[in-house]
Amino acid sequence: MDTDENQLVGKYAKHNSPAWAKARGWRLTVYSNSLLLVMGAVFLASWWLQSVAGTVVYNAEQLEHGQPSVSWTGYVTSADFWDRTLQNWQSEFLAVGSMVTLSIYLRQRGSAESKPVGTPHEETATEAE
């Protein structure tokens, strides 16, 4: 069960738990889902940056061949964009590395990959008490 006591938040937080794990309301909700929020933002930002850079490169190639340029929307709906996106293995390595690093400080309530929300940053493993 995903209870506040299991997650070590609110009144169940330890004395050395992160401050937002001790908080109530929106701050606890944000901190409890901080890993999802940050990784989602990183994904969307990298996808958007790749789409903008890809539009520039694609339009330069179009110009070289005497073809008309396309809008950002036109590029994002093109096969070229999706081919480049799905072939981009560097983003996979960045995502895994980010997840490992960010999971030290951020939490996702109820996730088996994340330690309980109220666990202190320096604690690397949780044991049944």
Side-chain angles (χ1 to χ4, degrees), residues 2-9 108-110 115-119:
D2 187 33
T3 65
D4 285 354
E5 186 175 9
N6 290 346
Q7 291 294 315
L8 304 173
V9 297
Q108 183 57 47
R109 187 175 187 133
K115 54 189 166 185
V117 175
T119 304

Side-chain angles (χ1 to χ4, degrees), residues 45-85:
S46 65
W47 182 83
W48 180 78
L49 287 169
Q50 181 179 347
S51 71
V52 170
T55 302
V56 171
V57 170
Y58 184 78
N59 281 333
E61 291 171 357
Q62 290 287 91
L63 185 61
E64 286 178 12
H65 299 324
Q67 301 292 320
S69 62
V70 297
S71 65
W72 176 82
T73 307
Y75 179 68
V76 170
T77 58
S78 73
D80 184 78
F81 170 72
W82 291 104
D83 182 54
R84 290 179 191 228
T85 298

Side-chain angles (χ1 to χ4, degrees), residues 2 7 29-38 99 103 106-117:
D2 187 33
Q7 291 294 315
T29 300
V30 168
Y31 190 68
S32 294
N33 296 290
S34 58
L35 187 58
L36 173 69
L37 294 170
V38 169
M99 181 65 106
S103 67
L106 305 178
R107 309 288 193 273
Q108 183 57 47
R109 187 175 187 133
S111 170
E113 287 78 29
S114 176
K115 54 189 166 185
V117 175

